Amino acid sequence: MNNVGTVALRIARTGIQSSPSHTLFTPISRTWLLRSFSCHSQESLVIQRSRNVLPQAPLRKFQFRTFSQSTTRSFRQSPIVQKLKPYGADNKPEKGLKFQDADLSREQIVSIFGSHAPPTQFANRLLRVLHGRRHDGTLDLPLPKDVESELAKFPHAFEDGLRYLRQAYPIDEDEAILYRIEREEDEREKDHPSVLMQKGQDIGLYRAHKAPEEQYYGPQSGHYQAELSERESDPYGKSELDRIRAENEARREKEEAELQAQIDKEMEKAQKVHDERSRALAQRPEQGLETAKELRPPNSFERWVLRARNRAQSKLTLESPEIAQMSIFRRLFPSLLLVALLCGGSYMFAQAWTRPKQSDRLFPGVSLSVATIGTLIAMNAAIWLAWKFPPCWSLLNKYFLFVPAYPYALSMLGNLFSHQTLWHLTMNMGALAIFGLPLHEEVGRGNFLSIYFTSGLIGGFVSFARHLAQRNLATSVLGASGCVYGIISAYLALHSR
């Protein structure tokens, strides 16, 4: 059974919309466009010449849908070429649409086109162009000139390639044709769907066929008898975006369920404390104590903070295999290597630094010492403010908080700028300003920064090793205290003579 009846029902249902009167070209009608494709039966296409054997692919559950199966070409010029962006309008060759990651091998090309198969490079280009035209609904338009000239040498290549694509990568070509008409009737200029899909594949939104055991591939699911999209009037099938969207929705639902369970548990505990306090107050009315405040569930802001806290907290525990089975060498070596490299880099910076010209400075009216220490204070203050913004907690917990249980080497540097309390920040930055300004004037920026970072890195690593030796894995290390102690020590060493 062919698809003429199916398309006719669609046309009768949707009707033919006329283009606005101010357009320059008359839109093509649905009837004319569908007549340009000769629809043949499904059975006629599965009859192959003895020289053609299509590659076998695993059968999977799929949604049955009929497809247009035209095997003859009609290169009638259509007004749609002038209304839409025509192929080659930007002086670029038509690339078509990838139907799998890698090009087909010579053996696969021979199995598709037979013993008189075209060259491998041309055959792959022909298949990509045909695949893109199927998605665009433009199989009736002329092929690129280089493809047309080469097809003259291989008269059956067009039919063989189209038959292979329709059997191995099925899409609803009737729906693609109707979508082409809708694009033509739309006043806004649009790219061809194959061009947009290829861009999606290039940036990773869609994936071409890679392995038969994967569930999602490219825009049309990319394997023999593939499961098509469940959406109505969608010829392109399931995409990588559908999978990502489904995963995000499932993860969001799981987070909300866990959050609600956590809130219910906390409310239950708070209710017990509230009841005990109410009973205690009721037994001593002569003291004139106020009654306990009524409990209320968290509002939207409090739920937002709880959600951010749950995302920032690691799901690992001290009993997790990733932590319990981690050796001391694996904990220490990455951080030790980073500390050694940064300390060596600080020494080289101190040796190579020269005072810049006044005209080359960003703020020539500010002294070097004030600019250096002011920048350090601003960076520490910015990280302190970031701790007050819940969405930043995941990033800060990983790179600006050092935890011996599961150490990240980069957090050995990041924790030098991290303070969670205003008192901690004020004490460190105050001492830095008091002792750092005169020390900077005496030793210069290169030596000052070398002392600052080397002291903090070595102090942080020694603290990490001490906690590890004492098996205090659940503690955390952060703050610029080691850096400030190094600055104070250097200042006192210079002025103790």
Side-chain angles (χ1 to χ4, degrees):
M1 182 180 68
N2 57 29
N3 290 332
V4 176
T6 304
V7 177
L9 288 176
R10 290 175 181 163
I11 295 175
R13 181 187 61 195
T14 58
I16 300 178
Q17 300 177 0
S18 60
S19 297
S21 58
H22 61 273
T23 55
L24 297 177
F25 302 97
T26 304
I28 58 177
S29 66
R30 299 170 186 255
T31 307
W32 177 89
L33 183 58
L34 293 174
R35 277 205 309 268
S36 65
F37 294 90
S38 299
C39 298
H40 296 271
S41 64
Q42 295 273 2
E43 292 79 3
S44 63
L45 283 172
V46 298
I47 301 176
Q48 307 173 22
R49 290 189 293 272
S50 59
R51 61 185 179 88
N52 289 343
V53 180
L54 295 180
Q56 296 296 323
L59 297 179
R60 297 177 55 182
K61 294 182 179 180
F62 65 99
Q63 173 184 354
F64 285 98
R65 188 184 292 183
T66 55
F67 306 97
S68 293
Q69 305 290 353
S70 60
T71 57
T72 61
R73 287 175 289 168
S74 175
F75 292 150
R76 200 180 313 179
Q77 187 67 19
S78 167
I80 197 172
V81 180
Q82 301 168 341
K83 188 70 177 295
L84 294 176
K85 290 182 179 179
Y87 295 108
D90 50 1
N91 296 323
K92 294 182 180 180
E94 182 181 347
K95 297 180 180 179
L97 176 63
K98 289 183 180 179
F99 50 90
Q100 65 177 26
D101 281 343
D103 288 343
L104 297 179
S105 63
R106 184 59 189 174
E107 292 76 11
Q108 293 172 313
I109 294 298
V110 172
S111 68
I112 296 172
F113 296 96
S115 57
H116 299 285
T120 304
Q121 183 177 1
F122 169 74
N124 280 288
R125 169 163 165 71
L126 174 64
L127 291 174
R128 288 194 297 268
V129 170
L130 292 178
H131 195 49
R133 293 294 184 92
R134 295 171 67 218
H135 278 278
D136 295 341
T138 54
L139 282 171
D140 63 321
L141 300 184
L143 294 174
K145 294 182 179 180
D146 59 328
V147 176
E148 278 291 326
S149 60
E150 193 71 18
L151 276 178
K153 307 175 185 177
F154 306 96
H156 299 290
F158 183 92
E159 289 80 4
D160 294 340
L162 197 57
R163 179 171 56 250
Y164 164 72
L165 291 173
R166 283 171 172 165
Q167 292 190 7
Y169 302 95
I171 67 170
D172 194 336
E173 295 181 13
D174 292 338
E175 192 65 39
I177 296 172
L178 298 181
Y179 183 58
R180 169 191 171 188
I181 299 174
E182 293 176 1
R183 298 199 315 271
E184 187 271 340
E185 293 173 347
D186 196 339
E187 295 182 4
R188 295 171 298 177
E189 191 179 54
K190 295 183 178 180
D191 285 318
H192 294 281
S194 62
V195 177
L196 298 177
M197 289 184 181
Q198 188 59 61
K199 292 179 180 178
Q201 287 185 9
D202 294 340
I203 64 177
L205 297 181
Y206 287 112
R207 289 185 297 166
H209 175 69
K210 184 176 294 184
E213 63 272 8
E214 292 188 3
Q215 185 175 2
Y216 295 95
Y217 303 101
Q220 70 293 329
S221 301
H223 62 90
Y224 180 61
Q225 292 185 336
E227 181 181 0
L228 298 178
S229 174
E230 298 176 356
R231 291 178 294 182
E232 182 69 21
S233 301
D234 181 14
Y236 306 122
K238 291 186 176 180
S239 70
E240 186 71 2
L241 290 178
D242 294 332
R243 182 188 65 81
I244 295 174
R245 184 182 299 108
E247 289 181 354
N248 290 339
E249 291 176 353
R251 183 170 60 252
R252 191 178 302 110
E253 292 177 358
K254 182 180 179 181
E255 288 181 355
E256 289 298 326
E258 293 177 351
L259 178 63
Q260 188 59 46
Q262 178 184 359
I263 292 175
D264 294 341
K265 186 177 180 180
E266 294 295 333
M267 288 292 294
E268 183 179 355
K269 292 181 180 179
Q271 186 65 43
K272 292 181 180 179
V273 175
H274 177 271
D275 295 341
E276 293 177 359
R277 180 174 175 80
S278 298
R279 286 193 297 268
L281 293 176
Q283 294 174 0
R284 293 175 292 177
E286 68 281 356
Q287 297 183 6
L289 299 177
E290 296 181 359
T291 58
K293 295 181 179 179
E294 293 293 332
L295 292 178
R296 62 170 180 82
N299 54 33
S300 58
F301 175 77
E302 293 169 340
R303 291 178 66 93
W304 176 65
V305 174
L306 287 174
R307 191 179 297 109
R309 187 185 68 180
N310 291 341
R311 291 176 180 175
Q313 289 178 342
S314 175
K315 302 301 185 292
L316 299 177
T317 63
L318 295 179
E319 291 76 21
S320 300
E322 295 87 347
I323 295 179
Q325 299 176 6
M326 184 180 293
S327 63
I328 296 179
F329 176 80
R330 186 180 172 188
R331 294 181 195 273
L332 285 175
F333 181 73
S335 299
L336 177 61
L337 180 61
L338 179 68
V339 169
L341 291 175
L342 292 178
C343 289
S346 298
Y347 174 78
M348 295 177 62
F349 174 76
Q351 298 298 316
W353 182 83
T354 57
R355 185 181 181 90
K357 296 180 180 180
Q358 200 72 5
S359 58
D360 295 337
R361 296 184 55 207
L362 184 61
F363 301 104
V366 180
S367 65
L368 283 176
S369 58
V370 173
T372 302
I373 295 176
T375 301
L376 291 174
I377 293 176
M379 294 174 65
N380 282 269
I383 300 300
W384 174 76
L385 289 175
W387 279 109
K388 308 303 176 184
F389 190 55
C392 296
W393 289 349
S394 296
L395 179 66
L396 295 173
N397 275 350
K398 185 174 183 179
Y399 295 109
F400 292 88
L401 184 68
F402 195 86
V403 180
Y406 201 80
Y408 288 95
L410 289 178
S411 63
M412 185 64 68
L413 175 63
N415 82 91
L416 302 181
F417 301 93
S418 185
H419 301 80
Q420 286 187 336
T421 63
L422 182 60
W423 178 86
H424 191 194
L425 174 68
T426 303
M427 292 296 294
N428 280 340
M429 296 301 101
L432 176 63
I434 294 173
F435 293 93
L437 287 172
L439 179 65
H440 191 289
E441 295 291 344
E442 295 183 41
V443 301
R445 175 179 287 176
N447 291 323
F448 177 85
L449 291 178
S450 179
I451 295 172
Y452 182 88
F453 285 108
T454 301
S455 302
L457 290 169
I458 294 177
F461 182 79
V462 171
S463 177
F464 166 45
R466 179 178 64 86
H467 286 302
L468 194 60
Q470 297 175 352
R471 303 301 296 175
N472 295 330
L473 301 182
T475 189
S476 58
V477 179
L478 79 163
S481 300
C483 304
V484 174
Y485 289 153
I487 296 298
I488 296 175
S489 300
Y491 177 82
L492 295 178
L494 289 177
H495 294 272
S496 61
R497 301 170 186 174

